[in-house]
Amino acid sequence: MTDKRRPVHVPVLVGASAALYAASLAGVTALQSAADRATIEARAPAAAAVDRLAARNEAVAKALDGLRGRMDATGTDYGAAADALGSVEVRLGDLATTVADVAGQVAALPDRIALPSVPRAPAGRAAPSVHAVTGASGK
Amino acid sequence: MIGAAAEAAGAAAVPGAASLSFSGRAMASPLTLTIARRSPGNEDDLRGAEVAWAAVVDEFARCEDAMSRFRDDSEITRLNRLAGWASLTVGGRLVHALVASDRARRLTGGRFDPRVINALERIGYEGAVVPLTAVVQTDRVVDLDRRAGMVRLPAPVDLGGIGKGLALRWAARRVEEALPGFGFLLDAGGDLVGRAPAGDGPTWRIGIEDPRLPPGEEGPPLAVAELSRGAVATSSVRRNRWRSGDGRDVHHLIDPRTNEPAPTDLFAVTVAHADPAWAEVWAKALFIEGLATIGPDARARGLAAWWVEADGTLAMTPAARERTIWSG
């Protein structure tokens, strides 16, 4: 009887190849991991600085929001004051008109008014009796 | 100075039921106190009136002791003799008068100024002997050292008019203390202070003398004014006119700005005021002001003032017109 023998070198080669591949893959992975770790370590300070900048940026943004709110309020107040000033200006204008009218009327008044003569005492009426007389001292 | 009490029976009906009158002389003038009685025959009224008159006599005597430049022993004469170089301790009345004079000089813009004694002496209106002084170098009438209680005069002063006004003020106050609520009229040679009786009764009627009448001659008043409370004083050249040593017609109302008798474009000025001293001050200041500006000035100050112009015309301010009940 004939014993049919299978060749063993094929699985050995496949196995060896696979092992070599695995070893290579492991080596590459290890190298890659080391390189990544080095890169991460090198970039860590920059990342921290970026985080700090981001935080400050956020704070500045918040402050700007607050300032914007106050500016809006100030703008509102200014608008109200401007309205009030406008009202005062209108009233001042009215007052100026009134003053000008009065000044014009005063200027139109005569300097002197001739009053009718009035008798200081009824004719023939004698001086009433008095209690004392004021006059030159040293009598 | 001796007072005599009498029931008044004058031509005018005195405010109140009747009147008591006392008379004497003080400060070279007649002095009369008239009191309106509340009920005739009331002995309490009489006793109170006698107390009031005694207070008036005492007050005028004290004022004369303090302020008469005609008396050799008065406080003002002693102070005048030290003017310009020494201080003296004097009584409260004189200090008050000097301070009031200083204020009056400022308020009248210098038209009232008691430092005219040199001018008065020069034209012959002489008092007690006081050495003539150099030109006044200061605006102040008096220098006070209140801490030491000393007074110094930069120049001698004549307190005649304001002195009588202050005497009237203080005497009236003492009458009111002696006779609270009574009407009274105190007349010191034509300068008056009075108060009408409480209530809505009649007021005192004061005649304004016609200054054109010769001295000593009586005549009807130019106007009659009412006095309910306050004082009336007149500055006039009807009396106290004479011919000076250099032949000029002069009078006793000196303009302090020129040290000469004020130009006589007015015969007399009468002022009614709440206070007799200020009535005196303004009457004199307005007289010195002269006819040109007396009207506007008196009106601007709200004074009740009457003045007689050189032609005899009587003019008055609106405040005076309110008080005038008759004018001829």
Side-chain angles (χ1 to χ4, degrees):
Chain A
M1 150 169 141
T2 305
D3 191 13
K4 191 177 180 180
R5 296 181 62 183
R6 290 184 181 179
V8 294
H9 62 280
V10 173
V12 169
L13 282 174
V14 170
S17 168
L20 182 62
Y21 175 74
S24 299
L25 188 59
V28 169
T29 300
L31 287 173
Q32 182 71 41
S33 176
D36 286 349
R37 191 162 50 247
T39 300
I40 288 169
E41 286 175 359
R43 288 182 179 175
V50 168
D51 288 345
R52 285 197 300 273
L53 283 174
R56 288 182 183 175
N57 186 52
E58 191 173 348
V60 168
K62 284 183 179 175
L64 281 174
D65 287 344
L67 286 174
R68 189 175 294 114
R70 288 169 62 185
M71 190 180 75
D72 290 345
T74 303
T76 303
D77 292 346
Y78 178 80
D83 291 345
L85 275 176
S87 172
V88 169
E89 282 180 358
V90 169
R91 292 169 62 189
L92 276 175
D94 294 345
L95 181 61
T97 304
T98 304
V99 168
D101 290 347
V102 170
Q105 291 175 19
V106 167
L109 291 173
D111 293 334
R112 302 178 73 87
I113 299 173
L115 295 173
S117 60
V118 178
R120 287 184 290 181
R125 184 181 153 198
S129 57
V130 298
H131 300 109
V133 174
T134 182
S137 299
K139 293 173 188 171
Chain B
M1 179 168 38
I2 298 173
E7 292 282 349
V14 174
S19 73
L20 280 167
S21 181
F22 300 84
S23 59
R25 282 191 70 83
M27 292 186 164
S29 297
L31 183 65
T32 303
L33 173 64
T34 305
I35 295 165
R37 302 182 73 169
R38 289 186 292 197
S39 56
N42 186 325
E43 290 303 312
D44 288 340
D45 284 4
L46 179 60
R47 279 192 291 274
E50 287 171 346
V51 170
W53 173 245
V56 168
V57 171
D58 177 67
E59 189 59 51
F60 270 79
R62 289 172 188 269
C63 287
E64 227 170 344
D65 288 344
M67 295 185 278
S68 173
R69 79 174 181 93
F70 298 100
R71 282 178 44 174
D72 206 51
D73 60 347
S74 68
E75 282 187 305
I76 192 62
T77 297
R78 285 189 285 131
L79 194 58
N80 274 340
R81 286 172 178 157
L82 300 176
W85 62 278
S87 302
L88 193 65
T89 300
V90 297
R93 285 179 177 79
L94 182 53
V95 171
H96 198 113
L98 291 169
V99 171
S101 298
D102 190 68
R103 185 155 182 260
R105 183 196 60 76
R106 284 183 275 116
L107 290 183
T108 60
R111 283 168 292 151
F112 176 92
D113 194 326
R115 297 171 299 179
V116 293
I117 198 166
N118 286 353
L120 289 168
E121 296 275 344
R122 192 178 67 246
I123 61 173
Y125 196 41
E126 295 172 346
V129 176
V130 171
L132 295 180
T133 57
V135 175
V136 178
Q137 296 293 330
T138 174
D139 278 345
R140 291 190 306 279
V141 171
V142 59
D143 291 324
L144 289 180
D145 185 345
R146 293 188 187 275
R147 190 170 298 173
M150 305 286 278
V151 174
R152 176 183 169 277
L153 296 180
V157 299
D158 170 28
L159 296 172
I162 196 170
K164 187 191 284 187
L166 289 168
L168 282 168
R169 177 199 293 178
W170 294 327
R173 197 172 294 162
R174 291 179 66 174
V175 170
E176 289 185 332
E177 287 170 2
L179 292 168
F182 277 69
F184 71 91
L185 185 64
L186 182 57
D187 179 352
D191 295 332
L192 307 147
V193 61
R195 185 183 68 188
D200 296 329
T203 58
W204 300 106
R205 290 199 298 274
I206 310 300
I208 295 174
E209 174 188 83
D210 185 347
R212 297 166 299 174
L213 293 171
E217 189 174 317
E218 298 293 331
L222 285 179
V224 177
E226 283 186 319
L227 177 68
S228 57
R229 187 183 182 91
V232 180
T234 295
S235 277
S236 168
V237 291
R238 183 183 175 208
R239 302 173 199 274
N240 291 327
R241 300 186 72 143
W242 66 95
R243 191 170 291 269
S244 69
D246 57 5
R248 290 184 298 155
D249 286 328
V250 294
H251 58 80
H252 70 300
L253 296 174
I254 302 294
D255 186 343
R257 298 166 298 186
T258 62
N259 257 343
E260 294 289 341
T264 51
D265 55 1
L266 293 170
F267 265 127
V269 176
T270 297
V271 169
H273 196 278
D275 178 76
W278 283 100
E280 290 271 359
V281 166
W282 283 117
K284 187 170 187 180
L286 291 176
F287 185 96
I288 289 169
E289 176 111 25
L291 180 59
T293 51
I294 184 173
D297 191 44
R299 278 195 297 275
R301 294 177 187 279
L303 291 170
W306 298 256
W307 58 97
V308 183
E309 300 171 7
D311 62 358
T313 303
L314 174 70
M316 64 188 82
T317 61
R321 193 174 299 279
E322 288 177 5
R323 299 165 187 246
T324 303
I325 59 173
W326 180 91
S327 62

